[in-house]
Amino acid sequence: MSPPKSSRWCPTPEQLMILQELYRRGLTNPNASQIQKITAHLSFYGQIQGKSVFYWFQNHKARDRQKLRKKLAHQLLQQHVLLGLYQHNHQHNLSGFTHHLSSSRCTARNLYPQGGGGCEEAPAVVMNHHRSKDCVMRMYGDDVTMMIMDVDPNFPCCRNKRLETLELFPLRSPAVKDQER
Amino acid sequence: MSPPKSSRWCPTPEQLMILQELYRRGLTNPNASQIQKITAHLSFYGQIQGKSVFYWFQNHKARDRQKLRKKLAHQLLQQHVLLGLYQHNHQHNLSGFTHHLSSSRCTARNLYPQGGGGCEEAPAVVMNHHRSKDCVMRMYGDDVTMMIMDVDPNFPCCRNKRLETLELFPLRSPAVKDQER
DNA sequence: GCAAATTAATGATTTATTCAAG
DNA sequence: CTTGAATAAATCATTAATTTGC
């Protein structure tokens, strides 16, 4: 019954919620005394040390900024692209960015509306791809190709034994007592 | 009389029942092969693609958790208000209660890797020390000593006056108007 | 009753976070 | 510190419920 023994702080949902709420409210750089207070409160919900709180705010702030910078850069680029300032040979250098840029609402469906009734042949471009644990899904227009790559039996979440031999469709008698949750 | 031609999957009642039943039995994160099987079976009841199954489980799990979180947040607030915990200092002997709270739905396995209780504690030596803009933190095992050195008044985020007297747990009137989404 | 208008659910996509390997 | 993989969270978009005025 020895507890998991993690080498690092594992925030409980409560702790996380509280931290996020504080951050949202504008506390991005708590001083020592604030950290102490916060730690005290959070310790009610689970083991926690001051340093964890300290780190959390540092990391969170850093990632927030990073996010912001990225967004800004993309917006700028967007402007440039739209204005045609990168018309000539610079264009391909943007690929790394544009892929992100154009992702917002340029889905295949929007670019190649199905309503067209087949006038458009084959949007041949990969609009998006979604990687899953063991499959890759690629969207070509409306279609999706799922490539099964592997099923890892060791994957931790398979610890639920029932899943191992999961009967997908027992579907016995119709009265399965479907209780609403 | 072409069929309605929906742009998205509309689950039939049978499909929905099956999915819900699978979920209820503990299948919350099917792998690709499971998705394939499920899709195959469900296709008996109507047009369906693997991605729909994939999405369904993702959404269902997420919204399940969302509900739980909301409930939890509410309870949390209640606890704080009712017990006046927010004026405590370190109060560690609440473990039983804490456990109950924080394990009510420990959700992500990354929060609780081994499915056990919480995170164990206590490297016993001086771990490290960090210099922050306004404090030095020294870690002695579990303890952290923070010495306030200075508070930089120029730091941009300090413009928010509320921070000066930061109320960690404001918990004002019960009717905080928890606006949905 | 019945549609147009509104709102709620939920399918589909995108973005962010987390863990850990390199 | 950086990166990749997995997945959770947030968001967008469309369909279903429902409300509303006739």
Side-chain angles (χ1 to χ4, degrees), chain A residues 147-164:
Chain A
M147 296 180 298
I148 313 288
M149 304 179 71
D150 194 18
V151 177
D152 180 1
N154 298 325
F155 202 71
C157 76
C158 293
R159 63 214 145 101
N160 185 343
K161 263 87 67 195
R162 271 202 306 168
L163 291 187
E164 298 294 348

Side-chain angles (χ1 to χ4, degrees), chain A residues 18-31 34 38 56-57 60-61 64-65, chain B residues 155-168 170:
Chain A
I18 291 172
L19 288 171
Q20 289 169 339
E21 181 60 21
L22 290 173
Y23 190 90
R24 251 196 302 273
R25 290 178 184 213
L27 180 63
T28 60
N29 200 32
N31 60 34
Q34 290 173 316
I38 296 170
W56 189 90
F57 278 97
H60 203 71
K61 185 167 60 172
D64 237 29
R65 277 201 193 132
Chain B
F155 200 69
C157 76
C158 289
R159 67 226 139 92
N160 185 343
K161 264 89 68 195
R162 270 199 308 165
L163 290 188
E164 299 297 346
T165 58
L166 183 81
E167 291 179 290
L168 290 183

Side-chain angles (χ1 to χ4, degrees), chain B residues 138-151:
Chain B
R138 285 166 188 274
M139 318 292 182
Y140 295 92
D142 288 350
D143 274 341
V144 62
T145 303
M146 288 179 285
M147 294 179 297
I148 304 196
M149 303 180 71
D150 193 16
V151 176

Side-chain angles (χ1 to χ4, degrees), chain A residues 95-120:
Chain A
S95 56
F97 289 103
T98 37
H99 129 264
H100 237 102
L101 268 181
S102 55
S103 67
S104 65
R105 259 311 117 188
C106 298
T107 61
R109 184 162 50 253
N110 290 342
L111 291 181
Y112 303 97
Q114 56 185 23
C119 53
E120 227 63 53

Side-chain angles (χ1 to χ4, degrees), chain A residues 8 67 71 103-105 107 128 130:
Chain A
R8 54 193 242 182
K67 215 187 312 178
K71 240 168 220 172
S103 67
S104 65
R105 259 311 117 188
T107 61
N128 187 6
H130 187 102

Side-chain angles (χ1 to χ4, degrees), chain B residues 88-104:
Chain B
H88 268 216
N89 29 18
H90 292 271
Q91 206 43 305
H92 3 261
N93 299 333
L94 303 157
S95 51
F97 188 50
T98 302
H99 177 264
H100 163 61
L101 257 184
S102 55
S103 65
S104 58

